[in-house]
Amino acid sequence: MEGVVGGFLGYVIARRMIEKFGDDFEGFKKSLKYLFSWEKDFKLEIEGNSIISSELYPVKRFYPRYCEKGCVAFAEKFAEHFRV
């Protein structure tokens, strides 16, 4: 169930971010910065055509079961909507 919820949220949020920032590499980068703007330790690095992000996401600490399935599903569904 966590994977289904994570995938759905990834889809919905990606569609909104694409409306706001576009679906290209730059839009993907801006979307990540926007989504994690509240996270003080968020880092975004670009290596070629790859974006590497890291953050101290609190969901893993409080809901590790969700994070193992839901966060991965969210990230996969979110990323597949961008032309990167």
Side-chain angles (χ1 to χ4, degrees):
M1 184 60 146
E2 293 87 358
V4 173
V5 171
F8 175 74
L9 291 173
Y11 169 80
V12 170
I13 293 171
R15 301 310 314 156
R16 178 65 183 110
M17 293 296 98
I18 287 169
E19 289 174 10
K20 188 172 184 73
F21 300 113
D23 66 348
D24 59 357
F25 188 77
E26 195 63 31
F28 184 62
K29 186 171 77 172
K30 287 179 182 178
S31 295
L32 289 175
K33 286 182 178 180
Y34 181 82
L35 285 175
F36 293 101
S37 62
W38 58 273
E39 176 59 62
K40 68 177 181 166
D41 294 320
F42 178 72
K43 295 180 180 92
L44 188 77
E45 298 176 23
I46 299 172
E47 292 183 9
N49 283 340
S50 297
I51 294 177
I52 301 166
S53 65
S54 63
E55 65 278 335
L56 298 174
Y57 193 56
V59 171
K60 184 168 179 135
R61 183 175 34 178
F62 297 114
Y63 304 106
R65 183 175 152 203
Y66 172 80
C67 198
E68 290 171 10
K69 296 178 181 175
C71 291
V72 170
F74 173 88
E76 288 173 345
K77 191 58 77 174
F78 182 83
E80 76 183 30
H81 290 283
F82 290 85
R83 296 180 296 116
V84 294

